Amino acid sequence: MNRSGSPLPLARRLVAAFAVVAALVAGLFTLQTAAGPREAEAASAVGGPITRAEIIARAKYWYDRGDTWYSQDQADAISDGTGGKYRPDCSGLVAMAWHLPKKSDGWDLNTDDFESYAHKSWVDLDDLLPGDALLRNGHIELFEKWVNPGDHRDGAWVYSENDYGQKTNHNINPWSEMETYRGIRYDKIVEGSPVSDGGADFDGNGVGDIYATGDGSLTIWNGKGSNNFASPQVVGGGWSEFGRPAVGDFNKDGKSDLAAVKSGALHVWNGRGGNGFGAAQVIGNGWGGFSAPIAGDFNGDGVSDLASVKDGTLYVWNGKGSNNFGAAQVIGGGWSPFGAPIAGDFNNDGKSDLAAVKDGSTLHIWNGRGGNEFGAAQVIGSGWGDYDSTLMSLGDINKDGHTDIASVKEGTGTLYVWNGEGGNKFATATAIGNGWSTYF
């Protein structure tokens, strides 16, 4: 308890300009695994907007350190892994996870401060989402997720700092204990994450949307949560000559944009919210021969990047904002046996990962490390042959804080969803409905 508390250059010019940064191992590109928790640049700024995924990743960093011994003394502040330091008590943990600024006296917020904090709102316990917090007299804990999203009375996973002689805890808080708290929410949490989670949120409601252009028109199904979607909305035609669009935040305004290739030229449509878009902007040529681009934040700077495969080699173009991208970087070869990759945050560490199906059968995931680096491929499971061609990342469509994926099964036209569970794990496929082949 405590009260202290530039336009893209032609792709053919790029290969000679950059060295391959990943080695080929068994036909896959892999990188050495670093020991212990990895420090990285923060996607958020101190006191600025922050995603739920980053909040949880920051808390997990402290837990993984293994040396965050409880103290109410600000002089014992511990690194947050991104250049800051926070006091290792209960309120310091939440201040660290939310990436809050210090008070005027140089101390982190205490529990009394959270009670009256101007940038928080009270929420019902049943409405808690990953990255919210539980506050009561003299103590605060960080809410991670429900043990059972279908029955909150089974309790919740929380991160906490509790007492001297203890380190950061990660445990289940039973419902009977939770009822002694009130829920609070930081008002600078960005509900949707078009940068790192690979999904689309065109209407800005914090739930992933589905989109398709397979019939020549852009059609959007807005997510409503719990794997439910609104009726299709046809946004506009003229998409027949474009490849499947990527979704990201290319101008860094917090809205989901589209990027697609036509006749070797990359175009971007900036989102305006409410399923609206600005006029197409031609970004650059030289995209012929590349797979349809995907978007993610592969270097961890908070701006959407693009990635694509050509002749079995993966390339990344880092976003600079304002629809500008850096020169292509060669990430690694060995991609010929794989279908087109998708991007998302599949292990909930706030970094963009890649997933792809090999030989029309087995799903693999490469976890992002930031800096355009990825860990070794992990085999997730087989039986993906009927789903490879339309595999897509949806963001979070059931509002549990995890990236979900979907695909239309070949030969049936049925859309299936695999809800993410974190740690590169997915729940059993859920059939959403039939009649989707026309759109994909």
Side-chain angles (χ1 to χ4, degrees):
M1 309 292 181
N2 85 89
R3 291 182 180 274
S4 64
S6 83
L8 293 172
L10 290 174
R12 62 178 177 269
R13 298 177 182 171
L14 301 172
V15 176
F18 295 91
V20 175
V21 299
L24 296 179
V25 178
L28 305 176
F29 74 94
T30 63
L31 299 173
Q32 294 298 315
T33 302
R38 182 181 186 272
E39 297 205 4
E41 293 184 6
S44 63
V46 175
I50 187 169
T51 66
R52 296 189 181 279
E54 186 183 351
I55 291 173
I56 299 303
R58 289 173 66 84
K60 185 177 184 297
Y61 172 77
W62 257 22
Y63 177 75
D64 289 343
R65 282 181 62 105
D67 64 353
T68 52
W69 296 101
Y70 182 94
S71 174
Q72 295 183 15
D73 190 342
Q74 191 69 36
D76 293 330
I78 292 175
S79 171
D80 65 355
T82 63
K85 288 187 174 182
Y86 290 83
R87 188 182 63 248
D89 60 5
C90 66
S91 50
L93 168 65
V94 175
M96 183 278 299
W98 286 3
H99 211 177
L100 299 182
K102 300 287 188 284
K103 298 189 294 183
S104 59
D105 61 3
W107 282 60
D108 296 311
L109 270 63
N110 59 43
T111 51
D112 284 344
D113 296 323
F114 276 107
E115 183 82 24
S116 58
Y117 190 47
H119 291 291
K120 70 98 173 58
S121 59
W122 299 103
V123 295
D124 291 339
L125 293 180
D126 280 319
D127 293 330
L128 286 169
L129 296 172
D132 292 338
L134 294 157
L135 177 65
R136 69 183 181 194
N137 186 31
H139 192 60
I140 189 170
E141 299 184 342
L142 188 76
F143 176 88
E144 182 197 16
K145 61 183 178 180
W146 296 107
V147 172
N148 178 4
D151 187 355
H152 296 173
R153 275 59 188 168
D154 288 344
W157 283 95
V158 298
Y159 287 96
S160 61
E161 287 276 357
N162 295 324
D163 206 349
Y164 287 97
Q166 298 181 23
K167 298 175 286 188
T168 304
N169 287 280
H170 182 222
N171 59 278
I172 294 175
N173 211 347
W175 180 257
S176 59
E177 177 75 8
M178 292 182 65
E179 287 186 304
T180 66
Y181 292 87
R182 298 175 70 187
I184 65 171
R185 178 167 297 160
Y186 183 34
D187 69 8
K188 294 189 179 182
I189 290 178
V190 181
E191 296 288 353
S193 179
V195 175
S196 67
D197 71 5
D201 182 16
F202 300 118
D203 59 352
N205 70 342
V207 184
D209 305 326
I210 296 176
Y211 67 98
T213 58
D215 64 351
S217 295
L218 173 63
T219 304
I220 293 174
W221 295 259
N222 293 124
K224 300 169 67 177
S226 302
N227 294 347
N228 294 316
F229 297 88
S231 299
Q233 179 180 347
V234 178
V235 177
W239 287 84
S240 298
E241 297 181 44
F242 288 90
R244 175 168 171 79
V247 174
D249 184 10
F250 306 117
N251 60 350
K252 207 174 179 181
D253 66 351
K255 299 180 176 66
S256 291
D257 310 320
L258 292 170
V261 175
K262 176 183 178 181
S263 302
L266 178 70
H267 297 63
V268 166
W269 296 257
N270 292 127
R272 294 177 173 174
N275 296 342
F277 298 88
Q281 297 184 39
V282 179
I283 306 303
N285 297 305
W287 286 80
F290 285 88
S291 63
I294 58 173
D297 183 15
F298 304 116
N299 62 349
D301 66 353
V303 184
S304 289
D305 311 317
L306 290 174
S308 183
V309 174
K310 182 178 182 180
D311 298 330
T313 299
L314 177 70
Y315 297 78
V316 166
W317 295 258
N318 291 128
K320 296 182 175 181
S322 301
N323 299 339
N324 293 318
F325 297 87
Q329 296 191 36
V330 180
I331 305 303
W335 285 82
S336 295
F338 291 89
I342 61 173
D345 183 12
F346 305 120
N347 62 348
N348 279 78
D349 66 352
K351 301 179 179 66
S352 292
D353 311 318
L354 296 173
V357 176
K358 183 180 182 182
D359 297 328
S361 175
T362 307
L363 180 67
H364 295 65
I365 286 179
W366 297 259
N367 291 126
R369 295 175 174 173
N372 297 339
E373 297 179 351
F374 299 87
Q378 296 186 38
V379 177
I380 305 304
S382 58
W384 290 82
D386 291 334
Y387 306 97
D388 184 15
S389 63
T390 58
L391 189 64
M392 65 190 101
S393 182
L394 297 183
D396 183 9
I397 63 171
N398 61 347
K399 298 201 74 172
D400 66 349
H402 303 298
T403 299
D404 308 315
I405 62 176
S407 180
V408 177
K409 186 176 182 179
E410 292 182 10
T412 69
T414 302
L415 177 70
Y416 288 88
V417 165
W418 292 262
N419 291 123
E421 298 180 336
N424 298 338
K425 296 179 180 179
F426 298 90
T428 303
T430 299
I432 302 301
N434 300 314
W436 289 81
S437 296
T438 301
Y439 300 102
F440 290 90

